Amino acid sequence: MIDDLLPLLKQAFGYSEFRDGQSDVILAALQGRDSFVLMPTGGGKSLCYQLPALLLPQVTIVVSPLMSLMKDQVDALKANGIAAEFINSSLSREEVLQVFARLRRGELKLLYVAPERLLQPNFLDRLQDVGVSLFAIDEAHCISQWGHDFRPDYMALALLKQRFAGVPVMALTATADAATRQDILQQLTLQQPYIHLGSFDRPNIRYTVQEKFRPVEQLTAYLQQQDGASGIVYCSSRRKVDELTEQLKQRGFNAAAYHAGLSSEQRNAVQDAFKRDDYQLIVATVAFGMGVNKSNIRYVVHFELPRTIEAYYQETGRAGRDGVAAEAILLFDPADIARMKRWLEAEENPQRAEVAWQRFLAMAAFAEAQICRRQVLLNYFGEARQQRCGNCDICLQPPQQFDGTELAQKALSCVYRVGQSFGMHHVIDVLRGGQNQKIVELQHDKLSTWGLGKEFSHDYWLSILRQLIHFGLLQQDITAHSVLKLQPAARPVLRGETALSLAVPRLQSVKREPQRLSKQQYDRALFAKLKALRKHIAARDDVAPFVVFSDASLIEMCQQLPTDNRSLLAISGVGQTKLSRYGADFIDAISDYLSEEAQPPAGKLAK
């Protein structure tokens, strides 16, 4: 039966084959079964309910948490010639009535709504009158108290099984651990559901963790390598977002801020401009979340350590949704761990605080890991792997080790000489022979450890001290201004009874490694022309550029160089509707480019 669906898949969506797991989920929906679908961001969850919706007799209702997400999905469906609409507060009363009229006439295949709207009694009555073939609950982890983005409105969705007996429910999410998955099944009362647990692996994303020394300079150096690609930088607070956005603007970056402190009009304007590629970069808090339905984000940077691996995975997953190579950069300061501990100590619910602390420790362990990042990430989600990924910083540049016993002795002795009463920066200043007012007043320039490490930079010593903390030789006392305290494990090192191997500090900015993905070879000049054409068409049609064609489709065009309808239709993401709407423009652009390339250079015309 799946073979029978392939012509519809190509005609409606432009794809010649299903991705892993999609066909089984689609068959379950067509057979009227409930289902639970866990697929990574960019793994093709939407198609699991969009394609069945075209074949089912009545409307498919899609529950979506954010207005911008609904609009993007509906714009993309309409671009493919599919009858879809949404109802939310952005529509006028007249526009809502027009959608209801189309629904009543049976003209819609998909209708997107928020849970609050769906559960209004009169809305449910309307749906019962017209009939529903399928409910698709997107971002289903929002229903679980164990999910990283719990939303109370989602809990009432259990009502659907009571009001619409026999109508299948499909729950979909990209991020759910075992506890969250079980909670989703129970909350929605799914009946003997078909369960698909896809791989959490996003092989096109390169994971890199860099120790934070001078974060703004580190970030600036990285962004200068991006050639105008779209990206997101996540910060932990509104203040940091505003501050960093201004710093990046002053350095010439086309950046905008996004956080909950801005008005909804400001946030919507920023998000819309980012989707149109008018902004290169968004600096945001986690408020810039699930509504980011933009397939051509090439990098995500975390300026601080996220609170959970689930949040990290979801946020990094916004990069490379089109399957093209993307990067996830994390700037890590071990002091973030102490700050999080202080924050959780204020939590009134001790059980919730303990769960949050354990999840944060798992995130910290990922950042501190000296083995393949992807192995650590996948293992957290219960997907253990023995093979290294070859596409993370640990695999590409394995940490170099050296005998750090002597340096450790100098550092530990200095902590002891200053009375175990000062933090890292003062200890480093003493080791490097600093003569600031504080050191002179305390007469720390008279200590035997003063100047013992002057040949190394401040950042080098910072890395060494952090490693000594990781090894349990030192502890930062968060109850006393993070002063350094010697631990029992330091004694054998100080006495020379134990050797200590340390990692060579990585002080350089993140550098882009040569692409390991062979499919990324394509004509960059042609890609730039097609990208400009896509932006022009998107502005004309008032849609996001990726709704016209994804970066992946443009890259394939640059590789295959289609110059007629048949060859363009063979490109992934080009269906009949898009061929008729946009095909001539792109064929002309490619043909013109090839003609220009075939012309001899000026002054060398054939005689």
Side-chain angles (χ1 to χ4, degrees), residues 458-509:
H458 180 280
D459 292 344
Y460 190 97
W461 276 115
L462 189 60
S463 177
I464 297 300
L465 286 173
R466 285 170 173 172
Q467 291 184 63
L468 297 181
I469 292 170
H470 297 335
F471 280 117
L473 279 63
L474 289 174
Q475 183 184 55
Q476 282 183 296
D477 188 348
I478 63 173
T479 66
H481 308 291
S482 294
V483 303
L484 294 174
K485 304 271 191 182
L486 292 168
Q487 298 301 293
R491 289 197 186 98
V493 176
L494 278 168
R495 293 171 181 167
E497 299 168 357
T498 302
L500 187 65
S501 179
L502 297 176
V504 175
R506 293 180 172 180
L507 306 181
Q508 77 279 10
S509 297

Side-chain angles (χ1 to χ4, degrees), residues 389-408:
C389 75
N391 196 30
C392 71
D393 59 319
I394 298 295
C395 290
L396 292 169
Q397 293 180 312
Q400 295 180 329
Q401 300 290 316
F402 74 103
D403 185 349
T405 307
E406 184 178 342
L407 286 185

Side-chain angles (χ1 to χ4, degrees), residues 323-325 515-522 524 555 559:
V324 178
Q515 289 291 356
R516 298 294 182 92
L517 304 176
S518 59
K519 292 183 180 178
Q520 304 311 311
Q521 301 303 317
Y522 58 92
R524 259 62 177 182
I555 288 173
Q559 293 168 333

Side-chain angles (χ1 to χ4, degrees), residues 85-87 90-101:
E85 293 290 353
F86 61 82
I87 292 180
S90 71
L91 300 183
S92 67
R93 183 174 182 276
E94 290 72 21
E95 289 171 324
V96 171
L97 291 175
Q98 289 172 8
V99 174
F100 276 136

Side-chain angles (χ1 to χ4, degrees), residues 40-53:
T41 302
K45 292 189 300 298
S46 300
L47 191 74
C48 291
Y49 57 81
Q50 289 175 349
L51 191 143

Side-chain angles (χ1 to χ4, degrees), residues 179-236:
T180 304
R181 295 198 293 266
Q182 189 59 38
D183 205 19
I184 292 170
L185 297 178
Q186 292 177 351
Q187 294 281 358
L188 291 174
T189 62
L190 301 185
Q191 306 298 309
Q192 297 181 320
Y194 172 77
I195 297 177
H196 173 78
L197 302 180
S199 171
F200 281 90
D201 192 13
R202 295 285 306 283
N204 63 313
I205 297 179
R206 173 171 296 151
Y207 298 101
T208 298
V209 179
Q210 184 179 14
E211 196 169 354
K212 186 188 289 187
F213 295 104
R214 292 179 173 83
V216 176
E217 286 73 17
Q218 288 171 286
L219 177 61
T220 299
Y222 175 73
L223 294 178
Q224 286 170 342
Q225 305 170 46
Q226 300 311 307
D227 299 325
S230 294
I232 306 171
V233 177
Y234 280 107
C235 299
S236 61

